[in-house]
């Protein structure tokens, strides 16, 4: 939303004004989790009036949902995922790419050697039957609203990460019953 972006860019300007004076300042890190100000997180999020109206305006795809319905977010999601999933995903990727390109531009203008880092915690990694598919990461990122092809020519660095607690939580699930028993002694 433009009002949220205005606040974010005002904060970014303040950070850059202070940070660029210090040689130890190397750039901006924006952690992208499932619930993040800077990412949609997954295809389960982002079905609000503003986003759906912008999608319709930009793509010409009308979403036939009553704007007065109390459950319209759910109805938007159901209709879009059934009828316009690919267009919706591409549109979201384009919107976020424009946002991150602006971040990159501001950071570069502040000091050309600075980087923008986007460690991503999103994606349904554990227990996902498609985890070994060749394009699994690309699909997960697209569902978050990120198409890495849109970042060419920038100094944006991306990477997949997990919640630190995931290492502890999921480590027991990967152990054999014998090993788990020995560990709990």
């Amino acid at each position: 939303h433009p009002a949220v972006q205005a606040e974010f860019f005002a904060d970014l300007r303040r950070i850059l004004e202070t940070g660029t004076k210090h040689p130890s300042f190397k750039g901006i890190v924006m952690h992208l989790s499932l619930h993040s100000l800077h990412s949609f997180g997954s295809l389960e999020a982002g079905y609000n009036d503003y986003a759906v109206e912008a999608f319709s305006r930009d793509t010409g795809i009308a979403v036939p949902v009553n704007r007065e319905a109390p459950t319209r977010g759910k109805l938007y999601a159901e209709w879009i995922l059934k009828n316009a999933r690919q267009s919706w995903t591409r549109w979201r990727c384009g919107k976020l790419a424009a946002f991150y390109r602006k971040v990159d531009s501001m950071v570069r203008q502040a000091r050309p050697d600075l980087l923008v880092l986007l460690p991503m915690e999103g994606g349904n990694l554990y227990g996902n039957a498609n985890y070994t598919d060749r394009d699994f990461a690309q699909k997960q990122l697209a569902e978050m609203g990120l198409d890495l092809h849109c970042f060419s020519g920038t100094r944006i660095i991306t990477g997949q990460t997990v919640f630190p607690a995931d290492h502890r939580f999921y480590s027991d699930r990967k152990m054999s019953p014998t090993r788990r028993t020995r560990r709990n002694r």
Side-chain angles (χ1 to χ4, degrees):
H1 192 278
V4 175
Q5 287 191 29
E7 289 293 321
F8 169 82
F9 288 123
D11 287 343
L12 179 59
R13 274 189 283 284
R14 285 189 290 273
I15 291 167
L16 291 170
E17 286 171 9
T18 302
T20 54
K21 298 172 189 171
H22 302 279
S24 62
F25 185 71
K26 301 299 180 194
I28 301 294
V29 178
M30 299 166 61
H31 289 275
L32 305 182
S33 62
L34 285 176
H35 306 288
S36 172
L37 179 64
H38 314 294
S39 165
F40 289 105
S42 75
L43 274 179
E44 294 176 1
Y47 301 93
N48 56 66
D49 292 333
Y50 178 82
V52 172
E53 288 169 12
F55 168 72
S56 292
R57 183 179 56 250
D58 293 349
T59 65
I61 298 171
V63 180
V65 170
N66 178 355
R67 300 298 192 257
E68 302 300 318
T71 60
R72 64 188 175 276
K74 179 179 184 282
L75 298 173
Y76 290 149
E78 288 172 354
W79 189 91
I80 288 170
L81 293 175
K82 181 179 179 188
N83 300 287
R85 182 186 191 114
Q86 189 174 14
S87 296
W88 174 252
T89 302
R90 273 196 311 264
W91 176 81
R92 289 168 22 131
C93 288
K95 287 298 182 184
L96 280 182
F99 170 76
Y100 288 118
R101 284 185 161 284
K102 184 172 180 179
V103 171
D104 181 63
S105 175
M106 288 177 67
V107 169
R108 280 183 173 193
Q109 286 176 6
R111 208 171 80 201
D113 64 313
L114 297 178
L115 301 171
V116 176
L117 302 163
L118 303 177
M120 294 168 247
E121 297 173 348
N124 180 13
L125 303 177
Y126 297 103
N128 189 313
N130 302 326
Y131 185 73
T132 58
D133 289 356
R134 183 182 189 103
D135 60 350
F136 176 79
Q138 184 177 351
K139 286 179 181 176
Q140 292 291 303
L141 292 174
E143 289 185 3
M144 289 178 69
L146 298 169
D147 179 350
L148 301 186
H149 296 100
C150 296
F151 296 156
S152 64
T154 69
R155 292 187 53 108
I156 297 172
I157 297 173
T158 61
Q160 183 70 41
T161 186
V162 295
F163 298 104
D166 282 353
H167 294 294
R168 291 185 305 276
F169 180 76
Y170 287 105
S171 67
D172 282 349
R173 293 169 187 247
K174 295 175 188 171
M175 289 184 199
S176 69
T178 306
R179 184 169 173 218
R180 192 176 304 125
T181 304
R182 270 190 261 139
R183 183 173 172 224
N184 292 333
R185 285 185 188 168

